[in-house]
Each structure stands twice: as structure tokens, then as C-alpha cells.
């Protein structure tokens, strides 16, 4: 899997992170949600009494923290999300000449990754915008980011594998390096998850947050001194309806639903939990074996940030013991689930302290189902 030609060895040269400066705690979120529930139940009291409408139930901070490990999330529009009459971010439409909001946050993360690597954008060969929700069908967001960064040569394209978009992007970038088709590829993951979350759904209203990350994947020959060598990448998909979003360009053609534009995130969280944990743990074990790596010797795991319990179980199966916060750091408590960006945020914030030759694993999992593992060694 890894090329023997040293010039074609792919590495992670640097990462970038954009965190929105608006933050919602569980307490604030639950207060707004419960206000909405009370209002709904009062307005529909007669129908609820007649049994034609089901009463809504309060959410609770205790449940959210115990079930998910999430304590807060960052968002791009706190006021409207918390307004019980709106419960969604509102982003005014921008003229076509103006940078789109998805590209805007992607550019912020991308610039930081380039700065951290000391790389001029003119030396980048390709930009992949890899995330869960694209703002539009075309032109590609990646091409808009390319333009905004002032990158005149090369190319960009969008790719979407939901929560696994970033690791699928890293493998795609690494393959460009391995084949000699590129020396420097930027994988950008802007995640405005707040726009596709149903903030009125008690089962999932607490799950997501907004963020953008960027990973600069390069040939070892041009990488800065401090980098992470990519030892191997592996991807897996298995169809499941347990995490789904039916939003798409055909919605307006469906006679049954054309007047209902809201197609939002839905999931069977408990099934996802039960099915994805063994799938991912097995995949990591097989991939480590293929690369001749003893998984119990991994210094750190940067796992997908969806649920603290899932990460506890996966880390335990991989390392052979209960992982501490140093071995499997979490960002879930303050960022919530940021889809494809989660494992990259964890890597970005928790890799500088490791020593040369330390081994680590970046791993994502989510809708599809999809999973991606990237084994790395500090150089
Ligand atoms: N407050 C209080 N009680 C609640 C609440 C709430 N907010 N919600 C549910 N409950 C109650 C339920 O009613 C139920 O009560 P009872 O037992 O009386 O029926 C009880 O709590 C237990 O409910 P659940 O079984 O649903 O709770 P779980 O313990 O399973 O926890 C979780 C729910 C936290 C959702 C958990 O199942 C989980 O995290 N699962 C994994 C999910 C996952 O990893 N998903 C990945 C999806 S992300 C992805 O792939 C990216 C998609 C693209 C992003 C798009 C942007 C939006």
C-alpha cells in the first residue's frame, strides 16, 4: 500500500482549524428546546387531549451528557438556533460574486494549514473539499476555495462521504502523491452541520456543531521537518439507512413532498452505535495487521467524534485496555459531533506533544456506513 519510492511517500505536513466564536452550552440548548415544547403543548392542548396529536417531551442536560459526552457546541448563528420560534441558523443569501459561507470557513482553515506548513499556495497542486453537506451543486466549493486562496494552477473538486469525508479525502490525496500526480494536496472539510440538524427533534437536537478543518497532504520530499508520515490508508463502506438525509435536487419533483422543503438529518442512534463499533474495531485490527503494526503499541488514537461511549469501546478493543484521555483525546465535549472534521480537530489539537517515531491512528466512521483509517508515524 505504501510506496517504496521515497519521493512518493505521502505525509501530513500541517493542519488548520477554524472554530466559530459562538458557543451553545447544553443548558442553553435544553432551555430553548423545552420552551418550544411547552409552547407546542399549550397551543395543541385540545388535540393532545383528544388523542389526535402527541404531546412533546422535555429534553434534559443529564441525558445528553450521559448518552453522548457532549457538553457544548460551536455554531455560526447562535441567536436563531436558540430562538424557539426559529430553531435554525439563518444565513442571508449572498450575491454570486461574494464568497459563499461554506467556502469562507473552508478558506480560513486552509490558510491556517498553509501557514503552519510554511507553504505558498502556488505550490499546491489540488484542493479537495471533503464534507457532509455541499452548499450547492455547482460550481464546486473546492474550485471556489481555490480561487479565494489565489491558486492559479491545479484543480479542485468536491467529495462527500458524510462523517468519513476527511479520511476519504486524505486517502485520495495520498494516492495522488503515491502515483506522482501531485506533490501537495489540500483536503478541506467545512462542516455547517447546524443547517441540516433538526433542532426540534429531541433525539438528535444536541448532536452537532459547526467547524472547518484542513489537512495538507504532501510528498515527503517537500514536507517541512515536522510532519507525520502516512503509513497506510484504508476505506470501507457498507450501505445502511440508519443515518440518512434525503435532501436533494429531486425533492421538488416528488408530488408527495414537493411543498415540504425540510429534509433533515435522521438516525437510529442506538442501531448505529451497536453496528458501527464492531465494524470499525475489526477494520482497524485488519488494517494494522496488514501494515505489520501492533495496535497495542499505538501512542494515540484520533477517533471520529460522535459519541464518547463509542470511542471508549473502540479504543479499548484496539489498544487492549481502557484508553485514557492522553491515548484517545476527545474534543466531543466542547465541539459536539462535527461530522468529518471531528477526528481532524482531535489530531490538530493533540499531536504536537508526540515524539519522533510515535505511531498514531486517525479514524472516522459514520453515515453510509463509511469508515476510514489512516496510520501515521511522527517524523
Ligand atoms: N433528553 C432526554 N431524554 C431523551 C432525549 C433527550 N434529548 N432523547 C432521547 N431521550 C430518551 C429516549 O426517549 C429514551 O427513553 P426510553 O428509554 O424511555 O424510551 C432514552 O432517552 C434512550 O434513548 P436512545 O436509545 O435514543 O438513547 P441512546 O442511549 O442510544 O443515545 C445517542 C442516543 C446519543 C444519539 C446515541 O445513540 C449515539 O450517539 N449513537 C451513535 C450515533 C452516531 O454515531 N451517529 C453518527 C452520525 S453522524 C454522521 O454520520 C454524519 C452525518 C452527516 C452530518 C449531517 C449534519 C447534520
Amino acid at each position: 500500500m505504501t510506496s517504496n519510492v521515497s519521493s512518493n511517500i505521502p505525509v501530513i505536513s500541517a493542519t488548520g482549524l477554524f472554530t466559530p466564536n459562538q458557543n451553545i452550552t447544553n443548558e442553553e440548548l435544553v432551555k430553548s428546546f423545552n420552551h418550544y415544547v411547552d409552547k407546542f403543548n399549550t397551543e395543541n392542548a385540545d388535540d393532545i387531549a383528544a388523542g389526535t396529536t402527541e404531546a412533546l417531551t422535555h429534553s434534559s442536560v443529564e441525558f445528553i451528557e450521559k448518552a453522548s459526552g457532549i457538553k457544548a457546541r460551536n455554531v455560526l448563528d447562535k441567536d436563531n438556533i436558540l430562538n424557539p420560534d426559529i430553531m435554525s441558523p439563518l444565513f442571508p443569501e449572498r450575491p454570486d460574486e461574494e464568497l459563499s459561507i461554506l467556502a469562507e470557513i473552508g478558506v480560513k482553515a486552509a490558510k491556517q494549514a498553509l501557514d503552519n506548513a510554511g507553504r505558498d499556495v502556488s505550490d499546491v497542486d489540488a484542493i479537495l473539499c471533503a464534507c457532509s453537506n455541499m452548499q450547492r451543486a455547482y460550481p464546486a466549493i473546492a474550485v471556489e476555495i481555490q480561487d479565494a486562496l489565489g491558486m492559479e494552477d491545479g484543480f479542485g473538486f468536491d467529495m462527500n462521504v458524510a462523517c468519513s469525508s476527511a479520511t476519504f479525502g486524505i486517502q485520495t490525496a495520498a494516492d495522488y502523491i503515491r502515483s506522482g500526480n501531485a506533490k501537495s494536496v489540500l483536503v478541506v472539510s467545512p462542516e455547517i452541520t447546524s443547517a441540516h440538524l433538526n433542532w426540534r427533534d429531541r433525539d438528535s437536537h444536541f448532536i452537532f456543531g459547526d467547524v472547518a478543518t484542513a489537512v495538507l497532504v504532501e510528498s515527503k520530499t517537500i514536507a517541512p521537518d515536522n510532519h507525520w508520515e502516512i503509513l497506510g490508508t484504508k476505506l470501507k463502506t457498507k450501505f445502511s439507512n440508519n443515518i440518512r438525509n434525503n435532501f436533494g435536487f429531486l425533492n421538488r419533483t416528488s408530488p408527495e413532498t414537493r411543498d415540504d422543503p425540510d429534509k433533515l438529518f435522521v438516525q437510529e442512534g442506538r442501531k448505529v452505535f451497536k453496528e458501527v463499533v464492531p465494524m470499525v474495531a475489526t477494520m482497524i485490527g485488519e488494517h494494522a495487521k496488514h501494515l505489520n503494526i501492533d495496535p497495542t503499541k499505538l501512542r494515540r488514537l484520533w477517533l471520529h467524534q460522535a459519541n464518547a461511549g463509542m470511542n471508549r469501546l473502540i479504543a479499548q478493543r484496539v489498544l487492549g485496555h481502557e484508553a485514557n484521555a492522553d491515548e484517545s483525546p476527545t474534543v466531543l465535549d466542547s465541539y459536539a459531533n462535527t461530522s468529518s472534521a471531528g477526528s481532524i480537530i482531535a489530531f490538530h489539537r493533540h499531536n504536537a506533544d508526540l515524539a519522533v517515531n510515535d505511531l498514531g491512528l486517525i479514524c472516522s466512521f459514520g453515515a453510509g456506513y463509511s469508515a476510514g483509517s489512516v496510520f501515521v508515524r511522527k517524523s
Side-chain angles (χ1 to χ4, degrees), residues 30 33-34 57-64 66-70 131-133 160-164 191-198 201-210 242-245 264-274 276-277 304-310 332 337-340 365-370:
V30 166
F33 182 90
N34 290 348
T57 312
H58 278 186
S59 180
S60 92
V61 171
E62 296 69 35
F63 169 82
I64 294 170
K66 190 159 175 278
S68 70
I70 297 165
C131 64
S132 300
N133 291 291
N160 175 358
V161 205
C163 286
S164 292
E191 292 285 9
I192 307 183
T193 62
S194 62
H196 264 184
L197 177 58
N198 183 353
D201 174 32
R202 178 175 175 258
D203 288 347
S204 65
H205 75 112
F206 53 88
I207 290 180
F208 288 104
D210 300 332
N242 288 332
I243 314 167
R244 196 163 169 127
N245 183 333
L264 300 171
F265 168 88
V266 287
Q267 75 166 354
E268 295 274 352
R270 190 145 285 206
K271 286 188 190 162
V272 174
F273 195 113
K274 278 196 187 138
V276 168
V277 168
H304 178 52
Q305 305 285 313
N307 180 292
M310 283 172 104
L332 185 67
N337 183 344
T338 48
S339 195
S340 68
F365 36 89
Y369 295 134
S370 59

Side-chain angles (χ1 to χ4, degrees), residues 25-295:
T25 63
N26 284 343
E27 287 75 12
E28 291 171 307
L29 187 72
V30 166
K31 187 174 165 210
S32 147
F33 182 90
N34 290 348
H35 185 105
Y36 155 74
V37 166
D38 292 342
K39 194 162 168 261
F40 178 93
N41 288 344
T42 305
E43 285 171 3
N44 294 281
D46 291 345
D47 293 341
I48 291 169
T52 52
T53 296
E54 210 171 309
L56 299 182
T57 312
H58 278 186
S59 180
S60 92
V61 171
E62 296 69 35
F63 169 82
I64 294 170
E65 292 192 9
K66 190 159 175 278
S68 70
I70 297 165
K71 294 181 178 155
R73 68 286 296 142
N74 303 295
V75 293
L76 291 166
D77 182 9
K78 173 173 178 169
D79 284 353
N80 286 309
I81 289 170
L82 289 185
N83 183 334
D85 295 323
I86 300 175
M87 296 180 88
S88 157
L90 292 181
F91 303 124
E93 197 148 295
R94 298 179 178 187
D96 288 354
E97 298 69 36
E98 206 178 306
L99 192 64
S100 64
I101 189 165
L102 198 69
E104 180 183 299
I105 66 168
V107 164
K108 288 180 180 169
K111 280 187 173 162
Q112 200 187 86
L114 293 171
D115 283 353
N116 287 344
R119 176 76 56 233
D120 193 281
V121 73
S122 59
D123 295 326
V124 176
D125 301 305
I127 293 189
L128 314 184
C129 180
C131 64
S132 300
N133 291 291
M134 295 301 163
Q135 178 161 354
R136 57 170 184 266
Y138 44 83
I141 301 293
V143 180
E144 193 182 4
I145 293 174
Q146 175 191 9
D147 184 61
L149 288 173
M151 179 182 147
E152 289 180 10
D153 295 326
F155 62 92
F157 62 88
D158 294 347
M159 52 187 289
N160 175 358
V161 205
C163 286
S164 292
S165 300
T167 52
F168 276 58
I170 290 173
Q171 168 155 321
T172 306
D175 283 343
Y176 280 128
I177 310 296
R178 290 169 181 139
S179 67
N181 277 326
K183 281 198 176 323
S184 179
V185 183
L186 201 46
V187 181
V188 186
S189 300
E191 292 285 9
I192 307 183
T193 62
S194 62
H196 264 184
L197 177 58
N198 183 353
W199 296 91
R200 294 191 173 91
D201 174 32
R202 178 175 175 258
D203 288 347
S204 65
H205 75 112
F206 53 88
I207 290 180
F208 288 104
D210 300 332
V211 84
T213 56
V215 182
L216 188 64
V217 180
E218 300 194 307
S219 161
K220 194 171 173 69
T221 50
I222 65 162
D225 287 347
N226 281 329
H227 59 259
W228 285 88
E229 200 171 298
I230 296 176
L231 302 175
T233 53
K234 186 178 168 76
L235 311 178
K236 184 179 172 70
T237 51
K238 186 180 188 316
F239 188 68
S240 167
N241 278 321
N242 288 332
I243 314 167
R244 196 163 169 127
N245 183 333
N246 281 325
F247 180 79
F249 80 104
L250 287 180
N251 294 156
R252 66 190 284 274
T253 67
S254 155
E256 303 85 7
T257 59
R258 60 179 312 200
D259 295 329
D260 168 21
D262 277 348
K263 301 279 185 196
L264 300 171
F265 168 88
V266 287
Q267 75 166 354
E268 295 274 352
R270 190 145 285 206
K271 286 188 190 162
V272 174
F273 195 113
K274 278 196 187 138
E275 291 170 12
V276 168
V277 168
M279 177 182 129
V280 171
T282 304
M283 173 180 162
I284 294 171
E286 287 171 1
H287 191 194
K289 195 169 171 202
H290 177 77
L291 294 170
N292 249 333
I293 289 173
D294 176 357

